[in-house]
Amino acid sequence: MIRSQRQTGILAGWMKAADIHKVILQLSPSVSRLAVLCDENTHHCCFHKVSSQPVFRDGEFSNIIIPPGEGSKSMKQCMRISRELLEAGIDRHGMVINLGGGVVTDLGGFVSGIYKRGIRFLHVPTSLTGMIDASIGGKTGINAEGLKNQLGLFAFPVKTIIDPSFLCTLPDREIRAGTAEIIKHSVLSANPGILKTLSGLELTGNSMGKQKEDWMNVIAHSIKFKEAIVSSDPFDLHKRKVLNLGHTLGHAIEAWSMENGVQPLRHGEAVSAGLIMELYLSHRKTGFSKEFLDGVVRFIIEKIGWFPVPGHLEPLKKYLAHDKKSTGQGIRFVLADERGHGLIDQLAEEILVLECLNFYRSLS
Ligand code: GLY
């Protein structure tokens, strides 16, 4: 199969938002009109850095602003953005710039992927999760029926532009949550050194300036690791599935927290709980190192936090049943082996999954 650059499009560039006009100039005159998609927060904190670029100075672009938060990954916002693109006269040669965290890049990538059968888009992630995970690898989508990412498609950006200075604008909670995916990448790359570097970092927006070099190292490691996995399996058919470590229970807990009146968890917070449980399961089933498990548990509980999870499996079952990894015989997980290599399609009986929940609850 021949894939165009755009299908597998590679991927993250270590650039600054200030370079955005260079990318657009490279593409022009083939880009007819631009739209910038933001949420209310990124419109307030980040938009000026993009809109002040020469290519935007004549005001010939549209700005679409959505409410912040996971609730915006909806069909309602999808239709609204499409309407605004139509009203703005964005044709098949137009381009969307998705300026925001994972919600903006997932939603903006999805709309761009289906609008007029697909128009070009750039990702400019502004959150830690966005930079090291959501904006890399072409997964786009929205939630449906209370379930995460049920409607979506693979659609690859022309480029992902990483400007770490955006991280200084983030609330500390966002930095803590984003760190969960970095830990996942460090486990799967069998690199305890990243965890060690992370342990010396303050997980705050402020620390991005003070501890810049170490932050750049862990972010670069994470991006490189994810790019390598994605380029070997862009469409998630085999190897890429390892990136779901921590996400079987993580997604279920995230969806449960959104529907059940406890404080809704950030994606990374739910993944931090899912990682502890699924690494505990790995330790029980594959011999994943107890020392590495203890290090991850200590780091997550002290630096990211502990979050409420149900005391039994029942409330999570409806979310697990929709998980692509579940079957009639048990629940399918990605586990890490004793060297940290990801093992896909590992079945675990319910009793063992309950033990994982109880292990996590014992850490409160
Ligand atoms: N976040 C999992 C993936 O991109 O495959």
Side-chain angles (χ1 to χ4, degrees), residues 133 136-137 139 181 184 226 230 236 240 243-244 247:
D133 189 23
I136 298 171
K139 280 190 181 176
E181 301 281 0
K184 178 190 82 180
K226 178 149 185 193
V230 168
D236 206 12
R240 181 171 177 171
L243 297 175
N244 286 319
H247 284 64

Side-chain angles (χ1 to χ4, degrees), residues 5 9 19 56 81 173 203 257 260 263 271 301 310 313 351:
Q5 164 92 0
D19 293 325
F56 293 100
I81 296 166
R173 184 176 173 194
L203 304 191
S257 82
N260 286 276
Q263 197 196 15
V271 167
I301 299 297
L313 266 186
I351 184 92

Side-chain angles (χ1 to χ4, degrees), residues 8 15 50 83 98 108 111 113 130 144 160-161 185 190 234-235 262 267 304 312 315 318 328 333 363:
T8 54
M15 301 170 83
V50 169
R83 194 168 52 245
N98 298 309
V111 177
T160 292
I161 293 181
H185 291 165
F235 299 105
V262 294
H267 174 70
I304 300 180
H312 45 104
K318 82 166 177 179
F333 288 89
L363 302 169

Side-chain angles (χ1 to χ4, degrees), residues 3 6-11 105-106 121 123 129-141 149 152-157 160 181 184-185 188 222-223 225-248 251 267 324-325 333-335 341-345:
R3 293 197 189 109
R6 230 176 108 198
Q7 272 176 299
T8 54
I10 299 293
L11 283 172
T105 55
D106 279 11
F121 59 98
H123 281 334
T129 314
M131 286 182 198
I132 55 108
D133 189 23
S135 69
I136 298 171
K139 280 190 181 176
T140 74
N149 303 329
L153 75 161
F154 287 95
F156 291 86
T160 292
E181 301 281 0
K184 178 190 82 180
H185 291 165
L188 289 170
S222 236
I223 291 175
F225 174 75
K226 178 149 185 193
E227 279 185 338
I229 301 257
V230 168
S231 55
S232 69
D233 177 21
F235 299 105
D236 206 12
L237 300 173
H238 39 89
K239 190 169 177 190
R240 181 171 177 171
K241 291 182 184 176
V242 299
L243 297 175
N244 286 319
L245 178 67
H247 284 64
T248 305
H251 270 160
H267 174 70
K324 299 177 280 297
K325 298 170 285 298
F333 288 89
V334 173
L335 299 180
H341 294 160
L343 304 168
I344 62 174
D345 293 336

